[in-house]
Amino acid sequence: MESHENLLAGPPPTLLPDLPEAREALESGAKASDVAARFPAHPAAWATLADEYFAAGHAVTSYAFARTGYHRGLDQLRRAGWKGHGPVPWEHPANQGFLRCLHALARAAQSIGEKDEAERCFQFLKDSSPTAFDELTGQ
């Protein structure tokens, strides 16, 4: 019997690998800047920095941190088989750093008047994970 692939189904969800040492450092209260310096491929550290600086009124610095984490996350997504679209589930904890960076990038872009980029990033977030979009935007 032949097995046929469902051509109507979208791409499978992409699940990023866990970086336990980096995750545990953040969870134990290490400074996000120290975690990012030691584990620059860990998007959650960059997302935390972006959030901290945005909350302190430094949108441009937040934008820079978010963009760094976003690009590090894209690299990891591609290595995990992502082809430029498809689900990146919020429910998978290792994906949350990338999704938080994407949200932080959209938020900071909006704050500094980069309307088109903000809209693209918010749409990318919603397309990647409606759950993350709702969770992070409060919608």
Side-chain angles (χ1 to χ4, degrees):
M1 169 175 256
E2 273 186 59
S3 170
H4 295 283
E5 183 179 343
N6 180 353
L7 298 177
L8 297 177
T14 302
L15 305 178
L16 293 177
D18 185 27
L19 300 173
E21 195 173 355
R23 177 180 40 78
E24 290 165 6
L26 277 178
E27 289 171 353
S28 72
K31 288 175 31 178
S33 59
D34 292 341
V35 177
R38 187 163 174 221
F39 304 98
H42 189 55
W46 297 106
T48 301
L49 285 167
D51 289 345
E52 289 172 356
Y53 276 81
F54 192 83
H58 302 285
V60 172
T61 305
S62 176
Y63 180 91
F65 285 135
R67 182 160 289 288
T68 300
Y70 165 79
H71 281 288
R72 291 300 183 120
L74 283 177
D75 291 344
Q76 290 178 19
L77 283 169
R78 289 182 187 112
R79 283 193 300 273
W82 185 75
K83 303 289 188 225
H85 67 283
V88 182
W90 174 258
E91 295 77 11
H92 180 67
N95 288 353
Q96 291 180 8
F98 168 75
L99 295 166
R100 287 177 52 219
C101 283
L102 183 53
H103 171 259
L105 184 58
R107 178 187 62 202
Q110 187 172 44
S111 178
I112 63 173
E114 289 285 335
K115 182 181 178 206
D116 290 344
E117 181 174 24
E119 289 173 1
R120 278 191 307 275
C121 290
F122 279 127
Q123 189 61 54
F124 184 12
L125 178 62
K126 192 173 200 175
D127 292 345
S128 298
S129 173
T131 302
F133 180 84
D134 292 346
E135 182 81 21
L136 296 169
T137 64
Q139 301 204 8

